Amino acid sequence: MPADDDGPFPDFRILGPLEISLSRREVPLPGQHVRWLLAVLLLSRGEPVAEGRLLSHVWGTSEASLRALRTSVSRLRSWLRDHTGMNEAVKYTRSGGYVLDLDARHVDAARFLGRYRAAAREPDPALGLDLLLRALGQWRGTVLEGAPEEVRAHAGIRRLQTARAGCAARAADLALHTSRPEAALPHVREVAADMPYEEPLQTRLIRLLGATGRRAEALRCFEEIRRRLADELGVDPSGELRATHAELLREHRPAPKPAFEPAPEPAPEPALEPVPESAARTPPERARPVAAELPMDVATFTGRRREVEHLCGLLGAARQEGPVVVSISGGGGVGKSALAIHVAHRLAARYPDGQLYLNLHGSTPNTRPVETSAALARLLRSLGTDDEAVPAEVEEAAGQLRSLTAGKRLLIVLDNALDAAQIRHLLPGHGAGAVLLTSRKVLTELDGATHLRLELLPEEDSLALFARLVGRDRVRAETAAAEAVVRQCDHLPLAVCIAAARLNARATWSVRALADRLATDRHRLAELHVGDRALRASFAVGYDELDAGHARLFRLLGLLANADVGVGVAAALAGIPERQAEDVLDYLVDLHMVENHAPHRYRMHDLLRQFAYERAHEEDDAGRRAAALRNVLHWYLATARTVCVRVNPDAAWRTGIGPQDLAVPGAGLDSHQQIQAWIKAETANFPVVVRQAIGELDDGPALAVGLAAALYLPLGYERLWKDQYTLEELAADAAGRTGDPLQFAVVQGDLGDVQSQLGQLSDAIARLRDSLAAYRRLRHPRGESSQLDRLAGAYGLLGRYDESIDCYRQALALDRKQGDRFNEGITLSNLGLTYQKAGRFAEAVQAHSESIAIHRETDSPFGLGCLLGNLAEARRLAGRPDLAVRLFQEALRADDDAGRSGTYDEAEHWWGLGRCHDDLGESEPAQECRRAAGALLHRLGLIGAQERQLIEAEAHPPTPEIIRRNT
């Protein structure tokens, strides 16, 4: 029975948001992963989908593993059974994938395609049109609307969207042929809106509009398409589209009479009495001129094309039921007023009843904001009210304003508003008018307003603005210097304008001379001052509005050199609870003094940061500034120590390096996902805060060494060796300043190990020998063992296997003498890897097996996946890929149990499993395993896009260098 018949049959709908019904009643959707697993299987239309493809589409860049996929498949089967009565609908195929066994009649996409194909075979145009319209009727929006990006990357979505466009185009053709344009117009209009660059479809929409008597709309449609193609693609309309436009113009040539319908002939007028001579001499009352108050458009207005078109679209669509209200918000100097005035001039002709402009001085330096009563009086006078007739009471004056603006097409620009309270009484109540507001604040309190947050100019537009101000030839001659100037101006329009004015006022200056003057951070604000225009004054207006708590956090943020800050850092900086810090940050975001560029992450543009730095040095003494910075370092150190112990409890000794009495606690990170997210968010900041600590705090060097020691393992496990190297170099300098021999030994060893990972083997061996000697002087056997282990690894990378094996055996002896079973297990695993590279596979298997046995004594999941993967590769090299397959699968499960899914280790194990399948002659699962590995390595930034594409396309791609070096 078809799904759209009555009966207890499920219906699956993907042509829009995912929906499932049973007997026409909606069924609650399953959880996220199960839901999108079902969606991908539905998109595949009964074809098997390999496990690797499902992982890629459903989990994408999230944590995932084969085990997670199979768990989700099991849950999907249970959900289908419980909610739709379908048993065994999801089947595992012999090729190693899954297929959804489902009658095509129960899927809207299949019904759509079936009717589309049937229409192509139908010889009767009328019946063919009916089939096409029924096919288009299956659509409720875009395919799987709201699905994650990874799901929407499925090729099946593109095929369905293409088929939809073809179906709509064919329906339009048949509708015109059968003289039924009204039948197809709604469907074609909807599809054309979703595909704005599909010119054949847009052509047919215009024809349908013309055929249904909507000529004006058809002409507007053509103009919108023409402008869109020119602005966004830089091309002209196709010949077919231009021909359709020309045909519209030919069919309806302009008549000499007005476009409106002529009125009926009036009845004969009655005879009039003679007009008295005195009345005939009375002049008629003079018509009051229409207000045209817009300031002159900015001659050098540059860029903002998207914003201009967006605002023109909003404000040009005036409504009879009430005015359109649009608010532009942005920081000082970002160009809000220039944009508003420019847009108002473009739209002036659409508002024949007048254009009013009022500067409310909400953020004008050294000027009080305009009172609401004064603003109302000014607007009423502009609309013709005499001074003595302006009501004194705000409510009465606001009512009079609403009366005077009712029914009129007026454009009102309220520039530089302080807040919503200042302008609430200045808004019209009825009519087809529009109000354009600008303010530094986001005026969310205004009901029904549309908000546009204005950001800094893109680099290209900043350079174009600078060129218009100082001359294109000048910029062309010194392009690099001009780029440096706009970069040092932070792409802030006001700063670019001031910099250009300074250059124009000094004939002897070159662009390079200006760039050099702006190059010093601490002097930049002083340079950006000309006449009565100064960035400092502009920023000060917003700062002076802040209360003490908000102002304190703002200026303390200027002390940090970080690229951005999280809520925890901000809280530590100000010595306040995190909840309070987040509230303050969000308030500063609303004032455009701080940018919320990612969830719970905040930053300032450089010029504002410099202003905040200046205010901190003026208002906070050196002791308070140092205490705030030290709190931040303590927060980082406490968090790093927590992370260090979480990723490896046996590394707890590292938390004893550096200061122990910390003023603030760190972040409480419990899961591997939280740790990964923190490392990803803060990696760029680690060397910045360490460098700042060394340079500005008395105890900064000790804090720097402690932070580097705690972060060594977390960064290493994420294979962030270049970032680790930068941090360890700074720590080496800091350790030299502290004079602490243990800190010297730790840092030299960590730096040498990182150099080894980066292939700097000669330098690595020298560092490791220094560290080994330092540990021996300290009589520190654990440190001595660790350096022997690292030296062995470096020798192994040089192919000096005998020296490597000798170092590992020395390390093993020390581990066993101390009873250090954990390190003994790690050293055995590393020894096994060296045996593998030396071709001594039986000894490798023995060493790896002993390592795993020791590890299992601890009953800890940490590191087990890595050890199992090492043993699996040794088994494969020893000629037993069948045993290796099971070991690699066990390693992947161990990765998942330890929360190590989505890491390099998992990628290495997928690659090893692929090698095993290759050795067994199983090419398809081998390729899927390699693809899973490639996706992970690319996400981790360990291979580039080109290498990932090679892995996807080639049957036997070369092993990535990162895996080759580590196995």
Side-chain angles (χ1 to χ4, degrees):
M1 183 181 296
D4 44 352
D5 291 343
D6 290 329
F9 291 95
D11 188 34
F12 297 85
R13 297 188 291 279
I14 62 174
L15 302 181
L18 178 63
E19 291 181 356
I20 303 162
S21 63
L22 185 66
S23 300
R24 300 185 184 278
R25 298 183 64 180
E26 292 297 317
V27 175
L29 295 175
Q32 290 292 318
H33 286 144
V34 176
R35 177 184 311 180
W36 304 127
L37 174 63
L38 172 61
V40 172
L41 292 173
L42 286 167
L43 280 170
S44 302
R45 296 185 291 167
E47 294 295 323
V49 187
E51 290 178 325
R53 292 289 186 190
L54 287 171
L55 283 169
S56 175
H57 282 305
V58 178
W59 279 266
T61 59
S62 302
E63 307 304 327
S65 68
L66 200 58
R67 180 179 181 184
L69 169 62
R70 290 171 179 167
T71 299
S72 293
V73 169
S74 176
R75 290 174 179 166
L76 175 58
R77 286 171 173 153
S78 299
W79 185 88
L80 287 170
R81 182 180 61 251
D82 295 343
H83 290 82
T84 69
M86 298 171 62
N87 292 311
E88 300 302 323
V90 182
K91 298 179 179 179
Y92 185 73
T93 64
R94 297 175 67 181
S95 61
Y98 293 92
V99 66
L100 183 62
D101 186 10
L102 182 64
D103 190 326
R105 294 174 299 173
H106 303 325
V107 184
D108 61 353
R111 294 195 296 273
F112 161 71
L113 291 170
R115 291 166 186 170
Y116 183 25
R117 292 176 186 128
R121 298 190 298 269
E122 175 56 56
D124 186 329
L127 295 178
L129 176 59
D130 289 339
L131 284 167
L132 292 170
L133 297 180
R134 289 179 63 204
L136 291 169
Q138 293 292 316
W139 287 77
R140 298 167 292 111
T142 56
V143 182
L144 291 174
E145 191 174 311
E149 182 181 347
E150 294 79 16
V151 175
R152 296 195 54 76
H154 195 289
I157 290 183
R158 292 191 295 276
R159 288 194 293 267
L160 284 168
Q161 299 283 31
T162 301
R164 185 191 188 195
C167 184
R170 180 62 179 156
D173 291 342
L174 288 181
L176 292 167
H177 178 72
T178 58
S179 300
R180 294 170 58 195
E182 289 282 3
L185 180 57
H187 295 288
V188 176
R189 192 198 297 271
E190 183 178 343
V191 181
D194 288 341
M195 300 181 174
Y197 303 105
E198 189 74 20
E199 289 187 73
L201 194 58
Q202 302 294 336
T203 301
R204 285 162 173 81
L205 172 61
I206 291 171
R207 288 175 182 165
L208 288 173
L209 289 169
T212 56
R214 298 173 172 87
R215 175 176 173 271
E217 186 180 351
L219 291 171
R220 283 199 305 273
C221 184
F222 172 82
E223 182 57 28
E224 289 169 3
I225 297 163
R226 185 199 63 74
R227 186 183 301 119
R228 186 187 308 129
L229 293 171
D231 290 351
E232 299 183 21
L233 302 182
V235 299
D236 292 326
S238 66
E240 183 185 22
L241 196 51
R242 291 199 305 272
T244 300
H245 178 242
E247 185 179 345
L248 271 174
L249 296 175
R250 280 196 305 272
E251 288 179 359
H252 295 274
R253 296 188 182 277
K257 295 181 180 180
F260 52 83
E261 289 290 328
E265 284 291 322
E269 295 186 20
L272 299 178
E273 294 292 330
V275 180
E277 185 178 349
S278 59
R281 288 196 301 267
T282 304
E285 185 177 353
R286 184 181 300 171
R288 184 175 294 276
V290 172
E293 298 179 344
L294 297 178
M296 183 177 66
D297 197 0
V298 181
T300 55
F301 185 87
T302 304
R304 304 290 193 198
R305 178 181 295 174
R306 290 185 182 278
E307 290 90 343
V308 169
E309 294 303 323
H310 179 59
L311 290 169
C312 286
L314 293 171
L315 294 162
R319 305 169 299 186
Q320 291 300 325
E321 63 270 19
V324 178
V325 180
V326 179
S327 174
I328 304 171
S329 64
V334 80
K336 303 179 295 295
S337 297
L339 174 62
I341 292 167
H342 181 73
V343 167
H345 275 283
R346 282 191 53 169
L347 293 170
R350 299 194 185 187
Y351 293 93
D353 293 325
Q355 307 92 44
L356 308 185
Y357 173 86
L358 181 56
N359 186 343
L360 295 168
H361 294 296
S363 55
T364 304
N366 305 314
T367 304
R368 291 172 58 86
V370 176
E371 297 288 342
T372 301
S373 57
L376 279 166
R378 163 67 189 282
L379 292 173
L380 289 173
R381 287 195 297 271
S382 296
L383 292 170
T385 305
D386 293 331
D387 285 344
E388 59 273 15
V390 173
E393 295 294 328
V394 167
E395 291 289 347
E396 186 181 353
Q400 188 169 328
L401 176 67
R402 292 191 292 270
S403 297
L404 290 173
T405 56
K408 292 186 177 180
R409 290 186 61 82
L410 275 169
L411 175 62
I412 303 175
V413 179
L414 300 176
D415 195 11
N416 201 0
L418 175 65
D419 53 25
Q422 187 189 29
I423 60 172
R424 188 168 283 114
H425 290 293
L426 309 182
L427 304 180
H430 299 285
V435 180
L436 181 56
L437 311 166
T438 74
S439 177
R440 292 197 182 186
K441 298 176 181 176
V442 182
L443 304 177
T444 52
E445 306 96 318
L446 294 179
D447 296 334
T450 301
H451 300 278
L452 172 68
R453 297 182 74 116
L454 197 58
E455 307 296 342
L456 299 172
L457 278 174
E459 182 175 2
E460 180 181 342
D461 290 346
S462 303
L463 193 60
L465 173 60
F466 187 68
R468 292 189 70 174
L469 292 165
V470 304
R472 290 183 176 84
D473 291 342
R474 205 169 183 183
V475 168
R476 205 174 292 121
E478 295 185 83
T479 302
E483 289 173 346
V485 168
V486 298
R487 188 167 55 251
Q488 288 154 355
C489 290
D490 255 1
H491 310 297
L492 185 70
L494 177 58
V496 174
C497 291
I498 292 174
R502 292 210 70 192
L503 186 62
N504 289 334
R506 288 159 178 80
T508 60
W509 280 13
S510 65
V511 181
R512 171 51 59 192
L514 175 62
D516 291 343
R517 295 179 72 92
L518 294 173
T520 305
D521 289 348
R522 300 297 178 239
H523 299 155
R524 195 171 300 154
L525 283 179
E527 291 291 336
L528 292 171
H529 179 287
V530 60
D532 63 350
R533 303 174 81 190
L535 273 184
R536 243 194 222 108
S538 176
F539 293 160
V541 173
Y543 178 76
D544 291 343
E545 289 182 18
L546 302 176
D547 65 24
H550 293 82
R552 180 169 179 269
L553 179 55
F554 170 78
R555 63 178 181 267
L556 289 178
L557 286 171
L559 297 176
L560 296 182
N562 299 31
D564 69 350
V565 299
V567 176
V569 169
L573 182 69
I576 57 178
E578 287 195 13
R579 186 65 175 270
Q580 182 182 348
E582 189 163 24
D583 289 343
V584 174
L585 287 166
D586 287 338
Y587 182 78
L588 294 173
V589 168
D590 287 342
L591 293 178
H592 295 274
M593 300 179 77
V594 169
E595 179 187 355
N596 182 199
H597 69 99
H600 309 295
R601 306 292 303 181
Y602 300 84
R603 67 187 178 196
M604 288 177 170
H605 66 69
D606 288 344
L607 293 172
L608 260 176
R609 186 202 305 275
Q610 178 56 34
F611 175 78
Y613 175 90
E614 289 183 357
R615 300 310 303 173
H617 277 260
E618 289 179 17
E619 299 183 36
D620 300 295
D621 61 34
R624 289 180 178 177
R625 297 196 304 269
L629 181 58
R630 186 174 289 106
N631 281 351
V632 170
L633 266 295
H634 283 192
W635 184 90
Y636 272 110
L637 183 53
T639 305
R641 285 172 173 171
T642 298
V643 170
C644 178
V645 176
R646 289 278 190 272
V647 301
N648 187 345
D650 286 275
W653 65 270
R654 286 181 170 272
T655 65
I657 306 296
Q660 300 300 300
D661 187 15
L662 303 183
V664 295
L669 306 177
D670 298 317
S671 70
H672 177 66
Q673 288 81 3
Q674 288 177 323
I675 290 170
Q676 271 193 318
W678 184 71
I679 293 289
K680 182 178 181 181
E682 296 288 359
T683 294
N685 287 326
F686 293 145
V688 175
V689 296
V690 163
R691 194 176 287 113
Q692 194 168 7
I694 294 171
E696 298 183 28
L697 297 176
D698 293 341
D699 56 347
L703 287 166
V705 173
L707 185 57
L711 287 170
Y712 169 76
L713 287 177
L715 290 174
Y717 289 153
E718 298 300 322
R719 273 32 182 198
L720 297 171
W721 293 311
K722 291 181 181 178
D723 300 291
Q724 212 176 17
Y725 179 73
T726 302
L727 190 60
E728 294 299 341
E729 276 204 315
L730 290 168
D733 172 59
R737 300 186 187 205
T738 67
D740 186 301
L742 178 60
Q743 291 184 6
F744 173 83
V746 170
V747 173
Q748 290 296 310
D750 289 351
L751 180 54
D753 189 46
V754 176
Q755 289 177 313
S756 181
Q757 296 292 350
L758 292 171
Q760 303 169 11
L761 297 173
S762 297
D763 291 340
I765 288 171
R767 294 266 188 193
L768 292 169
R769 284 174 174 166
D770 287 345
S771 178
L772 177 61
Y775 276 117
R776 283 173 172 166
R777 288 193 296 271
L778 290 167
R779 300 183 184 278
H780 197 301
R782 180 165 187 165
E784 185 181 348
S785 168
S786 178
Q787 305 326 300
L788 285 166
D789 192 276
R790 288 165 160 178
L791 271 170
Y795 286 135
L797 289 171
L798 287 169
R800 294 157 62 175
Y801 299 124
D802 290 341
E803 292 169 272
S804 176
I805 290 167
D806 179 59
C807 284
Y808 279 132
R809 286 175 173 165
Q810 290 183 59
L812 274 175
L814 285 167
D815 293 336
R816 287 165 177 163
K817 184 176 179 180
Q818 298 172 84
D820 188 343
R821 295 287 280 168
F822 179 83
N823 266 355
E824 181 184 354
I826 296 299
T827 304
L828 278 165
S829 180
N830 291 334
L831 177 59
L833 289 172
T834 304
Y835 281 139
Q836 284 172 218
K837 291 176 180 177
R840 296 158 63 170
F841 302 130
E843 290 168 285
V845 168
Q846 179 64 30
H848 289 314
S849 299
E850 289 180 28
S851 172
I852 291 169
I854 291 172
H855 189 279
R856 281 182 165 143
E857 291 175 11
T858 67
D859 195 30
S860 167
F862 175 79
L864 180 59
C866 186
L867 302 181
L868 287 165
N870 293 341
L871 176 58
E873 182 63 8
R875 287 287 192 193
R876 186 187 74 84
L877 292 170
R880 293 301 305 273
D882 54 327
L883 297 177
V885 165
R886 291 199 292 273
L887 285 165
F888 273 122
Q889 289 172 342
E890 192 177 348
L892 286 164
R893 287 193 292 272
D895 291 337
D896 194 33
D897 291 341
R900 298 286 298 162
S901 297
T903 64
Y904 165 80
D905 292 341
E906 185 186 2
E908 182 182 298
H909 298 154
W910 277 115
W911 194 271
L913 184 57
R915 284 168 164 168
C916 294
H917 285 302
D918 267 338
D919 293 347
L920 293 168
E922 299 166 352
S923 59
E924 188 172 341
Q927 195 166 10
E928 290 301 329
C929 289
R930 282 192 292 269
R931 285 171 176 164
L936 280 171
L937 291 173
H938 183 256
R939 181 179 71 82
L940 294 168
L942 298 175
I943 61 172
Q946 188 173 358
E947 189 169 2
R948 181 185 178 182
Q949 290 170 1
L950 186 67
I951 291 169
E952 291 276 340
E954 294 287 331
H956 299 285
T959 300
E961 174 64 17
I962 184 70
I963 291 179
R964 190 191 64 75
R965 291 180 66 246
N966 284 280
T967 56

